[in-house]
Amino acid sequence: MILNYIWIGLVLLSLLVGCIAFFGFGQADVFSDILNATFANAKTGFEISLGLTGVLSLWMGILKIGEQGGVVHTLSRGVSPFFSRIFPSLPKNHPVFGTMFMNVAANMLGLDNAATPMGLKAMGELQELNDDKSKASNAMIMFVVLGASGLTLIPTTIMAYRAQLGAANPADVFLPILIATYFSTLAGLVATCIAQKIRLWDKVVLGVIAGLTALVVLLLVMATRLPQERLSQMSSLIAAVVLLGVIAWFVIQAMVKKVNVYDAFIDGAKDGFKTAIGIIPYLIAILVAVGMFRASGAMDLLEQGMAQLFAWVGINPDLSGAVPTALMKPLSGSGARGLMIEAMTTHGADSLVGRLCCTLQGCTDTTFYVLAVYFGSVGIKNTRYTVACCLIADLVGVIAAFVVANIFFG
């Protein structure tokens, strides 16, 4: 429903701005530009979607190997001591812990197809433990906030889009996304813990938060002290080592579990192919609306206004081109994806704006979509303070994305 209003708003606002440009300023070509943009962006959306089939098939195949090899279960066991502290209202050793752990671990690995069903199953099990069936429980809120904050270790889809749009090194946003999404998740976690009066000074909770924060701060300190070229090389090296290490881990663990690695890869690759083909209509729809918005001049006006505001407060004005993506992200995942692609197409995949939009896309999940799907699946109407905690995570994630992208690519 939100995307419907966004799409209609972009189209109608584009036509309104076009009318103002035509009748008020005598720009005779504005309607032709808007019409040409619809055809050009429809073609772009189709070509990008087809180009994604190879990369998505590759990574979905690799991720399927990890899934069948038990990587998700391994990660679940690893986070079990921490999760038992942040979900204190749940009975110890309840089966819902396993389902929640698998959902979070699948999200971290970018296993979208596996994560959503497990998330819905976890919500159903949490609802069974909920005393008030119309109101979100503390455990539900914590679970949804962690999901909406979007902690992802492997931004597979974003790297695929960057590869398709000609990025010299599609993985160079790996480290900035990891840092930004960590701060987003940390903010959501801390906000929810404060609201639920969960002890942040518990030795396990404090140890996990302090350890991860120290690692991220170390990476940021290194980033601020290295020359731009050396920083880019470091980010690329870390991305290569981590991604190749993950592939090796998935394959080795699958072999230990006696999984048919080749068949698992083929099954995942088929899912990747279907995913790439399935997003064609959605991508074309949003790219056409965004293309009309830019061709009418409305996008330029928005970016110019934000550039002046950024310059006034001492922020690099070049970052203003990513503001539409930042505003869209909590509302619509496909809308933000379309704006990210449009920014890379307009400014270049390796431009500051293009890389920043990728970082924004990867730093959080689509808050209102997650809330609607997860709470809607169990009939929860009173979500209490869930939205507030999620938006805090979104705000911190956006700020972190702007800061980190400027450090790495500015």
Side-chain angles (χ1 to χ4, degrees):
M1 183 63 71
I2 292 177
L3 185 57
N4 175 54
Y5 293 136
I6 291 173
W7 196 88
I8 293 174
L10 286 174
V11 172
L12 294 182
L13 187 58
S14 301
L15 295 176
L16 175 60
V17 173
C19 288
I20 294 174
F22 181 79
F23 293 106
F25 299 96
Q27 296 182 11
D29 295 334
V30 63
F31 289 123
S32 296
D33 292 340
I34 294 175
L35 181 61
N36 292 336
T38 62
F39 294 114
N41 280 36
K43 180 182 178 181
T44 299
F46 181 74
E47 291 175 346
I48 289 175
S49 298
L50 287 183
L52 284 174
T53 55
V55 180
L56 280 181
S57 295
L58 167 65
W59 277 102
M60 289 296 286
I62 292 171
L63 294 174
K64 180 64 73 171
I65 293 173
E67 181 186 356
Q68 293 189 8
V71 171
V72 174
H73 291 281
T74 300
L75 291 175
S76 298
R77 290 195 298 270
V79 299
S80 178
F82 175 66
F83 266 56
S84 63
R85 264 73 171 186
I86 63 175
F87 292 99
S89 62
L90 298 179
K92 290 184 178 180
N93 300 320
H94 192 279
V96 70
F97 276 103
T99 309
M100 289 193 299
F101 295 157
M102 291 174 66
N103 169 262
V104 173
N107 275 322
M108 292 170 64
L109 294 174
L111 296 170
D112 294 336
N113 291 339
T116 301
M118 284 187 271
L120 296 179
K121 181 180 178 182
M123 286 297 287
E125 295 175 355
L126 290 172
Q127 180 70 326
E128 293 177 1
L129 299 171
N130 189 10
D131 295 330
D132 187 344
K133 303 300 182 184
S134 64
K135 184 169 67 175
S137 65
N138 285 352
M140 283 181 172
I141 294 172
M142 177 64 78
F143 178 63
V144 171
V145 170
L146 291 178
S149 63
L151 181 62
T152 303
L153 297 182
I154 306 177
T156 305
T157 305
I158 294 173
M159 291 190 295
Y161 281 118
R162 288 184 52 74
Q164 176 61 17
L165 291 171
N169 181 7
D172 61 4
V173 296
F174 171 82
L175 199 54
I177 289 176
L178 179 62
I179 295 172
T181 191
Y182 170 71
F183 280 115
S184 171
T185 302
L186 178 63
L189 172 65
V190 171
T192 308
C193 285
I194 292 174
Q196 297 182 2
K197 299 180 180 179
I198 295 174
R199 291 193 310 160
L200 286 170
W201 55 89
D202 178 274
K203 62 180 182 180
V204 175
V205 176
L206 190 61
V208 171
I209 293 177
L212 292 176
T213 301
L215 176 61
V216 171
V217 170
L218 176 62
L219 291 174
L220 283 174
V221 171
M222 291 175 58
T224 57
R225 294 185 177 181
L226 290 175
Q228 190 67 45
E229 183 178 350
R230 178 60 178 164
L231 181 59
S232 179
Q233 293 175 351
M234 184 191 74
S235 179
S236 299
L237 176 62
I238 293 176
V241 171
V242 171
L243 295 177
L244 292 176
V246 166
I247 293 173
W249 176 28
F250 286 8
V251 172
I252 292 173
Q253 183 150 334
M255 292 172 60
V256 171
K257 296 287 186 179
K258 298 183 179 180
V259 172
N260 188 318
V261 176
Y262 178 79
D263 286 347
F265 179 88
I266 295 300
D267 289 341
K270 289 179 180 178
D271 291 337
F273 183 85
K274 292 177 182 177
T275 299
I277 298 301
I279 67 174
I280 290 178
Y282 305 98
L283 192 55
I284 289 176
I286 195 64
L287 283 181
V288 165
V290 172
M292 293 176 64
F293 193 68
R294 180 172 289 281
S296 70
M299 183 75 80
D300 293 333
L301 291 174
L302 175 61
E303 291 182 2
Q304 290 171 9
M306 294 306 302
Q308 293 177 359
L309 176 62
F310 279 22
W312 182 66
V313 298
I315 301 175
N316 187 346
D318 293 340
L319 299 175
S320 62
V323 170
T325 303
L327 296 176
M328 182 72 73
K329 182 60 180 177
L331 301 172
S332 167
S334 58
R337 181 171 59 243
L339 287 169
M340 176 190 71
I341 293 171
E342 198 272 343
M344 286 194 288
T345 303
T346 302
H347 301 281
D350 289 330
S351 65
L352 175 60
V353 172
R355 286 164 162 163
L356 173 55
C357 286
C358 292
T359 307
L360 288 167
Q361 180 72 3
C363 71
T364 63
D365 207 335
T366 310
T367 293
F368 290 100
Y369 171 81
V370 172
L371 264 63
V373 171
Y374 277 32
F375 283 127
S377 67
V378 291
I380 293 292
K381 296 180 180 179
N382 182 0
T383 61
R384 300 167 66 196
Y385 48 85
T386 309
V387 174
C389 292
C390 288
L391 291 181
I392 289 173
D394 287 338
L395 178 60
V396 172
V398 167
I399 295 173
F402 272 84
V403 173
V404 172
N406 192 50
I407 291 174
F408 275 80
F409 310 118

